[in-house]
């Protein structure tokens, strides 16, 4: 029996030893006690609440044991457990096949209801449907809530009820509805922690779960950068972005609190949050984008897909300084400045004519703020294959982008100490030639 299997057995038995009817709240992408919608409704449901988290082996498959995102999740679970220990409760952490875990939990007759917040990715939707089925067969109620977005699913659609596929009209309606209805009220979930079930189990050590702590950490959320976000966001050497991405991805921040601050302080930053929700509803309504181009005709592009060129791009050795600096930053820190993300993505797809899915997959492996909808949407935008995409004839010039946004090469020199030495490679491809080749290739479709 593996360490995680032993843990699952111990924790399931501990859950079964509770001698009163209980509700369960299932943490997923909402790793906080404050303003957590599903948690609030669980805690005010009238039954003691047990908090659980499941490390899903299907999601973990292929990830290294020291994956920085797994470490970030683990450390936040550890923090949550410390916060609730003062209430005489413990967070129960499982690892394994989610179906088996839920079947084991459902076998205990004291579990009467399960609460969680909705996730909109295709895998999560299929998983949650299966969990509802498992619980329903045992007569256990399930309750799901909107928490990671302001507007979900079909709440912002065209007048004919079809989904928006262009950002600008979507954002206008999003804002009109926000201003009409107001920012959703924060749920004071943290005020009801006395309703947690009295349960005491040891929090598992990270090695017992089969992980090791990563030396890479997401930056803390920089709320102070919101006010001047529009003035400084495009200059990578300033590092003047908010680093909200990982915290919204894993729910250590409440989207309602962030939107409230953005609405008051900076509409440009607010527009970035709307982009996040736009891409989420694109993924929800058009799940084929996970594997195919949003615009089907671009599935016929004759990509060159040179593996050597792709490897040089991954390692930051293309001879284009801004591209290489961005890739070095990503490989070292798990973060890349947004302006540079656009340049590196455009370079891969249009200069090198490498399939956007290759780049999307690489970013998914490296980014601490990886979110399927935004990663997919932004890659298809850069490649010109998606909804509301950059037109095929827009090919970012990495030299011009560097001159405009890193004129003194401060960002570039930070990540490319060998620049202007024989150790730095010549350009992999000539920009005018690559631009014309890309336009010619795309124009055919």
């Amino acid at each position: 029996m593996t360490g995680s299997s032993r843990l699952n057995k111990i924790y399931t038995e501990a859950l079964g030893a509770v001698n009163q009817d209980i509700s369960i709240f299932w943490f997923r992408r909402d790793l906080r006690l404050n303003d957590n919608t599903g948690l609030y409704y669980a805690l005010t449901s009238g039954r003691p609440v047990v908090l659980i988290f499941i490390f899903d082996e299907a999601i973990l498959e292929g990830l290294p044991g020291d994956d920085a995102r797994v470490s970030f999740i683990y450390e936040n679970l550890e923090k949550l457990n410390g916060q609730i220990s003062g209430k005489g409760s413990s967070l129960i952490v499982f690892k394994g096949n989610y179906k088996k875990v839920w079947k084991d939990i459902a076998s205990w007759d004291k579990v009467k209801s399960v609460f969680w917040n909705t996730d909109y990715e295709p895998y999560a939707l299929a998983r949650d449907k299966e969990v509802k089925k498992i619980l329903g067969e045992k007569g256990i109620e399930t309750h799901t809530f909107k928490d990671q977005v302001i507007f979900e699913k079909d709440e912002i659609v065209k007048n004919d009820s079809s989904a928006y596929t262009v950002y600008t009209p979507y954002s206008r309606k999003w804002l009109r509805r926000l201003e009409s209805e107001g920012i959703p009220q924060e749920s004071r979930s943290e005020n009801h922690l006395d309703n947690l079930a009295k349960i005491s189990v040891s929090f598992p050590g990270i090695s017992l779960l089969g992980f090791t702590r990563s030396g890479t950490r997401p930056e803390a959320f920089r709320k102070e950068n919101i006010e001047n976000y529009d003035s400084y966001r495009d200059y990578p050497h300033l590092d003047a972005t908010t680093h909200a991405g990982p915290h919204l991805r894993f729910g250590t921040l409440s989207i309602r609190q962030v939107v409230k601050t953005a609405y008051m302080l900076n509409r440009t930053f607010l527009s970035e949050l709307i982009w996040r929700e736009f891409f989420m509803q694109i993924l929800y309504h058009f799940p084929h984008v996970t594997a195919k181009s949003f615009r089907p005709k671009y599935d016929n592009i004759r990509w060159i897909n040179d593996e050597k060129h792709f490897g040089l791009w991954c390692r930051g050795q293309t001879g284009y300084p801004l591209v290489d600096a961005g890739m070095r930053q990503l490989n070292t820190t798990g973060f890349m400045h947004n302006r540079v993300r656009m340049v590196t993505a455009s370079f891969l797809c249009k200069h090198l004519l490498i399939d956007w899915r290759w780049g999307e997959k690489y970013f998914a492996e490296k980014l601490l703020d990886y979110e399927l909808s935004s990663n997919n949407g932004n890659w298809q935008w850069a490649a010109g294959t998606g909804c509301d995409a950059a037109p095929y004839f827009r090919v970012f010039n990495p030299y011009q982008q560097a001159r405009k946004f890193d004129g003194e090469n401060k960002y570039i020199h930070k990540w490319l100490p060998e620049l202007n030495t024989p150790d730095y490679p010549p350009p992999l491809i000539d920009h005018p030639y690559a631009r014309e080749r890309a336009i010619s290739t795309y124009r055919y479709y």
Side-chain angles (χ1 to χ4, degrees), residues 263-274:
Y263 186 81
M264 292 188 298
L265 296 181
N266 196 292
R267 293 300 179 91
T268 301
F269 182 64
L270 180 63
S271 72
E272 295 299 316
L273 299 175
I274 301 173

Side-chain angles (χ1 to χ4, degrees), residues 72-133:
F72 184 65
I73 292 170
Y74 176 84
E75 289 166 6
N76 277 283
L77 295 175
E78 195 174 34
K79 178 182 175 182
L80 289 172
N81 187 65
Q83 291 172 326
I84 67 172
S85 63
K87 300 295 182 179
S89 194
S90 300
L91 174 65
I92 300 182
V93 178
F94 297 95
K95 180 188 177 188
N97 179 289
Y98 74 86
K99 292 182 185 179
K100 185 179 187 310
V101 170
W102 278 112
K103 286 177 181 177
D104 289 344
I105 292 173
S107 68
W108 299 103
D109 61 5
K110 297 299 182 183
V111 178
K112 300 301 180 184
S113 57
V114 179
F115 294 71
W116 68 76
N117 291 314
T118 305
D119 191 344
Y120 308 96
E121 295 182 1
Y123 172 80
L125 292 169
R127 175 199 62 202
D128 294 352
K129 182 179 180 181
E130 184 66 28
V131 171
K132 287 183 179 182
K133 181 175 181 289

Side-chain angles (χ1 to χ4, degrees), residues 199-346:
I199 186 170
S200 180
V201 296
S202 298
F203 190 77
I206 193 167
S207 60
L208 197 57
L209 289 165
F211 311 136
T212 55
R213 291 187 191 269
S214 171
T216 303
R217 296 287 187 282
E219 295 280 351
F221 172 53
R222 298 179 186 175
K223 182 178 178 180
E224 68 275 11
N225 285 347
I226 293 178
E227 187 168 2
N228 296 311
Y229 178 81
D230 56 320
S231 299
Y232 303 119
R233 65 170 179 156
D234 280 318
Y235 301 96
H237 73 281
L238 295 177
D239 195 18
T241 58
T242 67
H243 291 276
H247 303 282
L248 291 174
R249 170 65 179 89
F250 296 109
T252 56
L253 279 177
S254 157
I255 186 61
R256 288 165 293 282
Q257 294 171 358
V258 178
V259 165
K260 182 177 181 180
T261 303
Y263 186 81
M264 292 188 298
L265 296 181
N266 196 292
R267 293 300 179 91
T268 301
F269 182 64
L270 180 63
S271 72
E272 295 299 316
L273 299 175
I274 301 173
W275 267 108
R276 174 177 175 267
E277 297 202 2
F278 174 69
F279 283 141
M280 279 191 178
Q281 65 92 31
I282 288 294
L283 179 62
Y284 177 78
H285 287 284
F286 307 98
H288 73 273
V289 297
T290 58
K292 297 181 179 180
S293 298
F294 180 85
R295 302 182 185 189
K297 67 178 182 178
Y298 289 123
D299 280 327
N300 297 315
I301 289 178
R302 295 178 182 175
W303 303 107
I304 294 176
N305 288 342
D306 186 307
E307 293 187 3
K308 180 181 177 181
H309 287 181
F310 180 66
L312 292 171
W313 176 84
C314 291
R315 295 191 296 275
Q317 296 176 341
T318 68
Y320 279 77
L322 187 59
V323 173
D324 293 342
M327 297 307 294
R328 305 273 186 95
Q329 181 185 29
L330 174 65
N331 292 334
T332 303
T333 69
F335 172 80
M336 189 194 298
H337 188 276
N338 188 58
R339 167 60 56 177
V340 187
R341 292 189 198 197
M342 290 190 287
V343 177
T344 58
S346 174

Side-chain angles (χ1 to χ4, degrees), residues 168-219:
T168 300
Y170 172 86
S171 66
R172 287 172 181 159
K173 183 170 280 192
W174 193 100
L175 275 170
R176 284 198 302 271
R177 182 159 179 178
L178 184 80
E179 290 169 346
S180 172
E181 299 179 3
I183 297 170
Q185 185 175 358
E186 297 175 20
S187 59
R188 308 308 301 181
S189 46
E190 66 272 28
N191 292 343
H192 299 276
L193 298 179
D194 288 335
N195 295 332
L196 291 171
K198 305 305 178 187
I199 186 170
S200 180
V201 296
S202 298
F203 190 77
I206 193 167
S207 60
L208 197 57
L209 289 165
F211 311 136
T212 55
R213 291 187 191 269
S214 171
T216 303
R217 296 287 187 282
E219 295 280 351

